[in-house]
Every structure is written in structure tokens, then in C-alpha cells.
Amino acid sequence: MNGTGRADGSAGEALPAGARPLVSALMFSAGLLGNLLALGLLLRGRRGARQRPPALFHVLVLALVVTDLLGTCSVSPLVLASYHQNLTLTSLARGGHLCLYFGFAMSFFGLATMLILFTMALERCLALGRPYFYERFLSPRTGLVALPAIYAFSAALCSLPLLGFGRYVQYCPGTWCFIQMHLEPHRGHGLDVTFSLLYATLLLFLIVAVLLCNLSVMANLARMHRRGQRSRRLAAPEQPRGATGCGRRMFSMAEEIDHLLLLSIMTITFVICSLPFTIRAYVNKFSQAEDDHGWDLLALRFLSINPIVDPWVFAILRPPVLRLMRSVLCCQVTPTAPDSQAVSSAVTKLPARPHLCGQ
């Protein structure tokens, strides 16, 4: 179980002179406040839609926010405790067990969050691209099966350093522990950094998969739009009789665009936060430089920003903002929803079949 070490070159137990907790405290406050706000909005939206069962997308959104909240609360207090005691994480507890826990928790919650985001993108892709398969085999109960599988896979993978495949090491200024990304000369062996390469490769796969799913959703929405235009032209003489159905189709199209906008912004955040770590892992595999730990720490900071930004995406993208974004992107006025609806209430509706929502 000896999986800890130091990647910062420090040998003392005290934090370096000049280390300040301001940035860490601000990150913890922003993450905690954002996740609680997003969680409140989602639960409020569900109270206003009790007559409908929650959609699978809504279940995944709620799971993502809860996972981000647990991840923030599981590691950030340890950072603040380290600053308060003026001790490194490896010195706060005997045997480096706190560093092991910190590294495991950070890698576990980071991977679980990204897998849930991929599941959300795949759910939208199947809802529009394979509607009959989606309605027959997928339901909110699917989320109750997928989420434990995601957590189990993440826990199993992130436990490998505890078993000797890879290492969790301490990073400067001594308040961070994460996967070792740099092979130390005359110390350790190739397996210590091979695990970081495996982790980074998985993140890269998720980035590509989420982008492909979102591109598929865009293509399906474009086909639905063209099909809806043809249908309206053919049904033009009977427009008064079909006006209600047309309104439903327009609302369904707007709802799917809302889902796409939410996923797209989250994907952009995901890519920005994950790529630095992925790049560093591959660079370190072929680099023997000893002065690159600053770049490693910067990559870790980017990776830790993702669960802080995600909940603010939910909080900011309220229905009026989404309608404005739709108007700008589609160059037209889209059907409006009641201003009192939260963004979570829009995602609770079951996805419509493409041939019924062809705006």
C-alpha cells in the first residue's frame, strides 16, 4: 500500500514560505456555492413537475451535480487544513495515508464526473438518433444502473496506485496529491508514470466520444429541422387544423436545442480543463526534465476547476438565457417557456420522437 511520494522536490514537513490559502479558499467557496445553488434549482424544478416522472437526462444532470459537490467537499477542506496547520499533506497524518486519500478522491471524482458527462451526451445521441431503441430500452431506471457502474469502474481504476500500479504523489506547495506524472531519476520505475498515461488516454477517449456524440446530435437536429420545413410546406393548406401540433413540434425542437446548448458548454469546459493534464501526461512519458513540476501543477489546477465551473453552467443557463442563445444561433424567435421555469424543469420532459418534433 506504499503509493505515496513527493513530486515537488521538498523534503520538509512545513509549507514553503509565502504559501497562502486565498486561491484554495476561493475555489472551495465557488465550488460549494455553485453546486448548492445548482442542486437547489434542480430540486425546485422537480417539485414543479411532480406529475411527470423524471427523464433520464434529468437523473444524469442531478447525479453530475451531486458528484461535483461530493468531490469538492471531500478534498478542499484538507487543503485548507494543511494551510491552517502549516503542514504538508504527507505530514498531517502518519504514513502518508492522507495523501493517498486525497489522490484517490481527486482522481475518482474527476473521472466519475467525466464519465457522467459522456453518458449524458450518449443519452442525447440515442434519444435523437435511435428514438425507438431509446423509448423501448432506456428509462430513468437506466440511470440507476449506469451510475453505480460508473462509480464502481472509477473506484476500481483509481485504486490501482494503491496496489502498486502507479503512485499518488505530493505536489508543490505540499497541499496537493495526485497521480505521479513525471518519472523521477534514480527513483521509481516506469509503471509509476504509465498509470498517468492510462488515465490521460481515458480522458482523451472521453473527450473525442463526447464531441462525436454532440456532433451527431447537431446533425440529427438539422435533419429534423429540414424534415419539419418540408412537412409544413406540404401541410400549408391545412395549417389552421394542425396549428396545435406545429406548436408542439416547435417546442420540442427548442427543448432539444436547450439540451444541446447545455451539453456543448459543459463539453467546452471539460475539454479546456482536461486537455492540459492529457498533454502533460504524454509529454512527461518522453521527457526526463526535472524542472517541469510547475507545469504539472498547472495541469492539475485546470483539472480541479471542472467541478467548480459545471454547477455555475446550470445556474447561469436559465430559460431566458437559453432563449436568447437560441435566437442568436437560429436567427429567429423561438417559442418561449414560462420565465419561472428553471433550466432543470426543461430537461425533465421525455425526449420526443424525431418525426414528431421537426421544427
Side-chain angles (χ1 to χ4, degrees):
M1 297 284 286
N2 184 18
T4 58
R6 284 187 174 88
D8 54 7
S10 63
E13 295 183 352
L15 297 179
R20 296 291 183 268
L22 179 60
V23 174
S24 298
L26 290 177
M27 291 176 64
F28 175 54
S29 300
L32 183 62
L33 178 61
N35 280 291
L36 290 176
L37 178 61
L39 186 61
L41 290 174
L42 289 169
L43 294 178
R44 180 184 176 185
R46 277 308 308 157
R47 284 199 300 269
R50 287 180 178 177
Q51 67 277 14
R52 295 189 306 270
L56 177 56
F57 188 82
H58 178 268
V59 173
L60 295 174
V61 169
L62 184 61
L64 182 65
V65 173
V66 172
T67 303
D68 284 340
L69 179 61
L70 292 176
T72 299
C73 294
S74 65
V75 296
S76 294
L78 297 180
V79 177
L80 299 180
S82 178
Y83 279 110
H84 178 70
Q85 299 291 334
N86 195 34
L87 294 173
T88 63
L89 286 177
T90 54
S91 303
L92 282 177
R94 294 181 179 179
H97 298 301
L98 201 58
C99 186
L100 281 174
Y101 164 77
F102 192 102
F104 172 82
M106 188 172 174
S107 57
F108 168 79
F109 285 106
L111 180 60
T113 296
M114 295 169 188
L115 285 171
I116 294 174
L117 179 61
F118 164 70
T119 307
M120 292 169 59
L122 182 62
E123 187 269 349
R124 286 293 87 201
C125 181
L126 293 176
L128 295 179
R130 297 290 185 270
Y132 299 107
F133 173 87
Y134 180 91
E135 292 185 7
R136 183 175 180 181
F137 295 104
L138 300 183
S139 68
R141 292 184 180 181
T142 306
L144 302 180
V145 176
L147 291 173
I150 288 174
Y151 295 136
F153 174 79
S154 301
L157 183 68
C158 297
S159 296
L160 291 180
L162 307 179
L163 302 175
F165 183 71
R167 297 174 70 206
Y168 290 125
V169 297
Q170 180 176 278
Y171 285 86
C172 183
T175 58
W176 294 71
C177 286
F178 197 60
I179 302 166
Q180 180 176 344
M181 293 190 290
H182 209 282
L183 183 62
E184 300 178 15
H186 313 298
R187 295 170 61 184
H189 47 79
L191 290 180
D192 291 341
V193 294
T194 301
F195 178 75
S196 69
L197 194 63
L198 172 65
Y199 193 91
T201 302
L202 180 57
L203 296 188
L204 183 61
F205 168 80
L206 291 175
I207 290 173
V208 174
V210 170
L211 289 176
L212 290 177
C213 287
N214 287 342
L215 289 175
S216 175
V217 171
M218 292 180 197
N220 283 316
L221 286 175
R223 283 195 294 267
M224 290 161 55
H225 177 72
R226 290 194 298 267
R227 186 160 51 238
Q229 286 182 324
R230 289 195 298 267
S231 300
R232 286 195 298 275
R233 283 196 297 267
L234 293 175
E238 303 177 4
Q239 184 65 31
R241 187 174 60 186
T244 302
C246 181
R248 283 197 300 267
R249 289 192 294 268
M250 293 176 66
F251 182 80
S252 297
M253 185 69 177
E255 181 184 354
E256 296 298 342
I257 293 177
D258 288 351
H259 291 162
L260 178 60
L261 289 173
L262 185 64
L263 265 178
S264 298
I265 294 177
M266 291 174 58
T267 301
I268 293 172
T269 304
F270 170 35
V271 171
I272 293 175
C273 294
S274 303
L275 270 183
F277 172 80
T278 304
I279 294 172
R280 286 305 304 167
Y282 279 97
V283 169
N284 289 336
K285 180 66 176 178
F286 305 102
S287 172
Q288 299 297 328
E290 301 183 31
D291 56 351
D292 288 344
H293 297 299
W295 291 107
D296 294 344
L297 180 61
L298 182 62
L300 295 183
R301 290 190 183 277
F302 267 95
L303 198 62
S304 66
I305 289 175
N306 191 48
I308 297 175
V309 177
D310 275 347
W312 287 104
V313 173
F314 299 118
I316 293 174
L317 292 185
R318 304 295 297 277
V321 178
L322 290 171
R323 288 198 299 270
L324 176 62
M325 294 176 68
R326 285 201 310 266
S327 299
V328 172
L329 293 175
C330 302
C331 300
Q332 63 183 10
V333 178
T334 55
T336 60
D339 288 341
S340 60
Q341 278 187 312
V343 65
S344 57
S345 65
V347 301
T348 58
K349 299 179 177 63
L350 289 172
R353 297 174 184 256
H355 69 280
L356 293 179
C357 51
Q359 151 48 354

